Amino acid sequence: MSESEQSITVDEAYEQDNDKSIKFLRPRFHAEAFPTVQIFGYVGSLVLTFAAYFLVMNHVLPVLALLIIILTLAALQAALQLGVFMHVKEGRGLAWQIIPLYLVFLIAFGMVGMSIWIMLFKSGVS
Amino acid sequence: MFAQRLMESYRKLVLAALAAGAGLLSAGFSFGPKYVLLHPAGPVAKSELHVFILALELMAIVAVIVLALFFYAIVRFRDTAGNTAPYTPNWHSHTLLEVSVWILPAILLLFIAIPTVKTTFSLAHLPKGKDPVVIDVTSLTWKWLFEYPKQHIATVNYAVIPANRPVLFELTADSPMNTFWVPQLGGMEYTMPNRVLPLWLEADKAGTYWGHSGQFSGVGFEKMFFNVKAVSQKSFQTWTTTTASAHPMTLAAYDRLLKQTTVGDSTYGNYPADTFPTLASGFSLTGSGMYMVMHDKKGISYIPMVGS
Amino acid sequence: MSLPLVDEHAQQLPLEFADEHESMKITGFWMFLVTDVLIFASLFSTYAVFHNSVAAGPTANQLFKMGPVLLETLLLLTSSFTIGLGIYAMRKGQVRALMAWTFLTILLGAGFVTTEIHDFVSFAALHATWHTSAFLSAFDILVGTHGAHVTFGIFWAVTLLFQLRKHGITERTARKIYTFSLYWHFLDIVWIFIFTFVYLNGKLG
Amino acid sequence: MPSFVPYLVHTLFPPGVLLPDILLIDFGLICAGIGVIVLLTKTRRWGWLWYDWLTTVDHKKIAILYLIASLVMLMRGGIDALMLRAQLALPTTHFMPASQYDEVFTTHGTIMVFFMGMPFIFALFNAVVPLMIGARDVAFPRLNAMSYWLFAFGAILFNISFVIGGSPNAGWTAYPPYTGLAFNPGPGENYYFLALIIAGMGTTMTGINFLVTTLKMRAPGMSLMKMPMFVWSTMVTSALILFAFPPLTVALAMSLFDRLFGSHFFTLARGGMPMMYVNLFWLFGHPEVYILIIPLFGVFSEVVATFSKKVLFGYPVMVASIVAIMFLAYGTWVHHFFTMGAGPAVNAFFGLSTMLIAIPTGVKIFNWIFTMWGGRIQTTTAMLYQMAFIPVFMVGGATGILLAVVPADYQLHNSYFLVAHFHNVLIGGTLFGLLSGLYYWWPKMFGMKLNETQGKWAFWLFLIGFWVTFLPQYLLGLKGMTRRIYTYPLGFGWHDLNVISTFGAFIMGAAFVVLVYNIVWSLLYGERDLTGDPWDGRTLEWSLPSPVPEYNFPRIPVVHDRDAWWAMKQKGQSLADLRPEDVHDVEMPKNSPIPFLLGASFFVLGFGMTFAWWPIAIIGFVGIILCLLFSGFDYDDHHHLKADVIRQTEATLGRLQG
Ligand code: HEA
Ligand code: HEA
Ligand code: CUA
Ligand SMILES: [Cu+2]
């Protein structure tokens, strides 16, 4: 790679971006002196998973409540993975991926929820 | 008052324009009885036509406005020599206009949306206090089987119903999907395997109304016409009793119906259980129970239709 | 999420973002992941709608054994951690550590796939295959698609190891490892939802 | 061995394919194929074909490849349409048998949507988007070529179905369980599923590519709100593609598995639920129709401003409305199956969400009119299509609203009213938009103008033919005629209107012939475009010579205004005043055979799977793996175009100073 010898800083890349007025896409990078974040993520994901597991296997709550809780735990865990391991906010210039990611989770949950709603067949003529 | 008169004359204008266009197109033909959608013969079809016409009129208003603006613009602002119309190459925004193009259509839509929702919900319920006739409809390749669970009689490719009494059609399929549609009585509903969908219709007056399938299901599909004969309550009674003495439908006969063929009308005095999914035959809204499934008759032989 | 942030001033872009063209591929890969989210969302929808259509076959509750599933979860979560450490090492420029972590990730992934296949074979022995019912069709395709993704990821990582050996950590190999890690974590997220929505939920009902 | 031959003949040419006309076409195709091979050999063009076209990664050439493919597909789809219309005008004479009619409407719909509309749109994307944003190529040139070849081989796979093995025959929507083996044996539907999966992967990659291109590759200074509208529509369409195609892929794959591997997603037996297919299909299908229209909204926005000699009215509102349409497009899919008993709450919800789309769409219509208002409208062919579009789309949109009125849809679903609605928007919107774009950007792509007189002839024939064809179909809908029937009883009074409609279709056929004549004539004798800016355009692509040199911009422009090139012209600036020292080496992607080979491998895989001939499928699969491996280990994928070469090119174009 010829041109890239003059490596560039996060700020410079950001300043060069045409759309730097879109503030919430400003990239962030972790400081990584020791992999604390990774360890935190790993432990966190284990805790969340096994919490869900034990809640369900011991039937501590009514079914619906449990379902909501474990789905929430899963969503938390997804956020954890995205934030800690996947560095969603990293980017050169702007971290554009954030917008489609928000959207896609919205659409994905909408799709599952709506499909269930549509296919329930609450259409009985009374 | 004035608004009403305006509305009235506008309405006439629209209808006249449509009729004129239609007349031109179909050789001196106005909206005669062959326009089945415009000649409903029952409350369901009537209320459907009613919202349709309402929406059509409102859309015609929009169309008139848009087309007027449009034609004015393209005539006035042509790039011809000596055109004296103002030329404003940098005119790019006008707050009032930009806001009203969002607001006005939204208001107009409300007038369509409210009746839409109302009618949708009202059509989902049988009229109260009237005891419906129940008919179980199964679409087969490529014919219609009508079974009367109360009367224990069955017909193929035609149904007889009493006029002025709601009829509850329970729809299913032992075949690919079709839609059950009798245009003059009301809109369609899918017949789907593993599902029973309800549809209620009613005929205002005696008469024969043709029906058809609206969902393609194979080479014999265009032959899936059927007739719904609305007769007086009394004739209906006599019809059911005389029919009850006709030959019963056997399982073998049902098997023949399952074949991929087209057939004429027939009438049966009785029919075997299990040909229509009922709770008794193990059917639940989430599971199997269809005849074909229960008797493991998947993989029916394919008999191609030649010409016809 | 309040993570420690370095003072952004004068922070160098990591190697995988240093080249404009290479960094664009990371954005592109994110977009690919977006489509993959929806592939899985469609499969989840199907599963959600079908999960009672058991026909004459077994139900979720009868079929699922939590032992292997927990093992799979543990393996996958750990592999997500190891590849995370791999990226950490990469950012420090440590090739050997990076390769070691990647290798470990591959092993864990292989462990996951083996367990999963074993589980599926045990279902087949009970005549619970996707010929049995719509429910099992939906289950198999959801879990199977995830498994296929993991398998593909393993082969991908192997080719990356070869490239690392040949070129060391460059703008391009760094970008490739980085995208691989995104892929891998993403599969972890999907698995968490399978674990919750399919297995745990199956035990609920 | 001998028994092998009859088996092969029987599988590849079953009775449905052994019709005399199809055999004639078989023969014709073989002759044409041999002719092309001979011609290429005689003129020694094989190398040219391979190095300049089949392995190219240049977006401008890929655009031309897309364009050729889509015009051919327009012809195929159009001939299908004429066959349909001929049959419907002759309900009693059986111009063709039912089975063939079914195949023809299926291929007509599928080809028009997936193999005509989409590639035509991608042709326009490829031809101008990088130029409009001041970039040297798309974000991922090689991926771009892969998209093309996946699309192309998908299209080939789909098209050979009618000469080998039999065409799909379940409509472009392919609802199960009719597509199941029980009702639909033979390879037809396999072709459909596989071809669409393969082409769909290509489309998804295009979506990713152009999303990143428009996000990341804009010239310095071109912020989001300074992008030309066409670039906005590209970005939004790409996003729609990303979100829409996955459900389709899943639905198709599950149907295929039902057929090939005996799963039970949508079968009659074992709890299968065909409606889930319908649900997934329209989760894709509705966004898809907006994928087919939004790019053309972009085209119209460019065309109307250019030929009204006026800035686009209400740019921020135009952006807002296009984004609003994108969001709303995901919330309306159930309006395609209001009659599947999902209940009044569901239906009412989706009826309302559908109507909401009228608002942003209307905003666009009004803004186009206001753009013309106070302008000086030049009635070029491109502009004529734009102008015809407004009333036609108005009517199509209005009937769409009528279909969104749930109780009305109970009556109109799957009737000819619906057929008329969607041709109104697909022809008046999509096809007119594509043709408008074709006439508008043709000089940029080929360096010459299309003849305007001939173009206007084609235009008027298209427009008149369109109304004559589809107005009667609304009336047919009111008379209760349902779609996909190849014959009908005479007693319903459907015949006259069908004859009129068929007559109109042949007028459109004539229009297409004129269009082809126009293209061929112009390629031979057309007026060269020497200025690079024949329309006095507004956006950056017109700052370049036509056709555009390989590297697009010798020096990446800096953008300060919305209509960047227009503003430069107003300020008396030009890009043709390049100084030699402004030119540097340029990094360009290298041609590669991998995309072509990848597409070919997918074709082999698809063909093998269609007939369940697993050895062939495995060969294809291995090919795919090899292609992926090669491109993974290929680090040598770009070259440096020397500044001297660029200087020389620019000098001959007369754009270099000193
Ligand atoms: C380019 C493709 C395209 C476009 C843009 C549209 C646009 C719209 N479509 Fe259409 N549609 C199709 C292609 C398209 N459609 C296809 C292919 C099918 C059939 C598929 C099949 O079954 O094979 C179909 C089917 C279809 C159905 C299903 C019918 C059925 O199967 O029973 C419905 C129902 O709601 C519908 C509605 C609409 C609406 C409301 C719009 C709106 O977006 C239109 C909005 C535009 C306007 C309304 C005009 C301009 C607006 C104004 C001037 C503002 C003022 C207006 C108001 C206040 C109302 N369409
Ligand atoms: C962009 C999409 C598009 C386009 C442009 C068209 C264009 C046309 N369509 Fe089609 N149509 C669909 C999309 C489209 N259609 C879809 C999605 C369906 C639903 C399919 C289904 O049910 O599954 C459908 C269905 C459909 C039907 C309903 C069939 C049925 O339900 O039974 C009919 C019937 O009239 C029809 C007619 C036409 C006509 C007359 C044209 C005309 O515009 C065509 C004009 C003709 C040409 C443009 C080419 C003419 C070519 C020549 C004359 C050869 C010249 C040769 C040389 C120059 C060498 N179409
Ligand atoms: Cu050479 Cu980068
Ligand atoms: Cu739609």
Side-chain angles (χ1 to χ4, degrees), chain A residues 1-4, chain C residues 19 21 171, chain D residues 587 638-640:
Chain A
M1 296 287 133
S2 46
E3 292 98 311
S4 45
Chain C
D19 182 80
H21 284 277
E171 285 160 357
Chain D
E587 194 177 295
H638 60 278
H639 65 100
H640 290 258

Side-chain angles (χ1 to χ4, degrees), chain B residues 62, chain D residues 172 290 335-336 354 362 400 403-404 409 413 421-422 425 483:
Chain B
V62 181
Chain D
W172 83 283
Y290 289 99
H335 68 219
H336 293 275
T354 304
L403 290 168
D409 183 73
H413 177 62
H421 156 67
F422 69 69
V425 278
R483 67 197 288 203

Side-chain angles (χ1 to χ4, degrees), chain A residues 119 121 123-126, chain B residues 124-126 195 197-198:
Chain A
M119 310 285 277
F121 289 98
S123 65
V125 166
S126 39
Chain B
H125 299 284
L126 276 162
R195 278 268 173 277
L197 295 183

Side-chain angles (χ1 to χ4, degrees), chain D residues 282 285-287 289-290 332-333 335-336 354:
Chain D
W282 289 115
H286 188 79
V289 305
Y290 289 99
T332 66
W333 75 95
H335 68 219
H336 293 275
T354 304

Side-chain angles (χ1 to χ4, degrees), chain C residues 184-200:
Chain C
W184 200 260
H185 298 308
F186 166 71
L187 290 183
D188 197 41
I189 296 182
V190 174
W191 178 258
I192 292 304
F193 278 97
I194 292 182
F195 177 73
T196 310
F197 197 72
V198 175
Y199 288 106
L200 287 185

Side-chain angles (χ1 to χ4, degrees), chain D residues 187-205:
Chain D
E189 288 302 321
N190 293 350
Y191 271 124
Y192 171 93
F193 294 128
L194 286 157
L196 255 52
I197 290 175
I198 294 172
M201 287 193 304
T203 305
T204 312
M205 280 148 64

Side-chain angles (χ1 to χ4, degrees), chain B residues 21-22 24-27 29 31 34-38 45 47-48 51-52 55-56 59 62-63 65-67 69-74 76-80 83-94 97-98 101-102 105-106 109 112-117 119-121 123-125 141-142 173-177 179 181-190 192-195 197 210 212-219 221-223 225 260 286-288 290 292-293 296 298-302 307-308, chain D residues 94 98-99 102 105 169-171 175-178 182-183 185 264 267-275 278 308-317 320-321 324 336-341 344-345 347-348 352 355-356 358-360 362-363 365-367 369-370 372-379 387-388 390-391 394 397-398 401-402 404-415 417 471-472 475-489 491-494 496-497 500 538 562 566:
Chain B
L24 275 178
L25 282 168
S26 57
F29 199 87
F31 284 109
K34 295 218 160 125
Y35 285 87
V36 279
L37 261 51
L38 304 180
S47 60
E48 282 164 356
V51 271
F52 173 71
L56 184 68
M59 289 318 300
V62 181
I65 297 174
V66 171
L67 294 186
L69 282 173
F70 168 73
F71 282 110
Y72 182 78
I74 63 169
R76 179 108 198 269
F77 299 105
R78 285 283 289 276
D79 184 28
T80 44
N83 190 343
T84 55
Y87 176 48
T88 49
N90 292 321
W91 184 59
H92 66 87
S93 86
H94 184 290
L97 273 182
E98 276 167 66
V101 292
W102 291 88
L109 275 180
I112 305 181
I114 291 168
T116 298
V117 174
T119 319
T120 306
F121 274 92
L123 284 180
H125 299 284
T141 39
W142 294 286
D174 222 351
S175 68
M177 294 193 259
T179 71
W181 188 29
V182 190
Q184 280 185 284
L185 298 187
M188 60 185 91
E189 184 90 33
Y190 273 81
M192 294 191 274
N194 292 340
R195 278 268 173 277
L197 295 183
W210 60 268
H212 187 36
S213 165
Q215 174 62 34
F216 172 71
S217 61
V219 286
F221 147 77
E222 53 278 330
K223 301 288 184 313
F225 283 96
Q260 302 196 335
T286 51
S288 49
M290 300 290 303
M292 254 161 55
V293 177
D296 222 7
K298 48 182 176 143
I300 335 141
S301 59
Y302 179 74
S308 90
Chain D
H94 301 301
S99 55
D102 300 346
F105 72 66
N169 60 0
Y175 281 7
Y178 180 61
F183 302 101
H264 287 284
T267 54
L268 287 183
R270 312 225 179 209
M273 208 183 287
M275 188 172 164
V278 177
S308 302
K309 300 287 147 230
K310 198 164 157 283
V311 293
L312 188 68
F313 184 85
Y315 177 94
V317 180
S321 63
H336 293 275
F337 50 101
F338 279 149
T339 51
M340 277 196 182
N347 282 356
L352 296 188
M355 289 175 195
L356 279 184
I359 300 172
V363 168
I365 300 258
F366 287 117
N367 279 7
I369 295 180
F370 295 146
M372 297 193 255
W373 205 276
R376 280 290 176 273
I377 303 172
Q378 299 170 337
T379 47
M387 294 197 300
I390 289 181
M394 175 67 238
I401 296 296
L402 296 181
V405 174
V406 182
D409 183 73
Y410 291 164
Q411 287 279 32
L412 297 170
H413 177 62
N414 275 0
S415 71
F417 193 91
L471 265 190
L475 300 177
L476 280 172
L478 297 182
K479 281 184 167 186
M481 180 165 172
T482 47
R483 67 197 288 203
R484 294 172 178 166
I485 53 177
Y486 87 110
T487 181
Y488 44 86
F492 295 119
W494 297 347
D496 306 351
L497 291 170
I500 298 174
R538 313 180 73 84
R562 213 166 261 161
W566 183 260

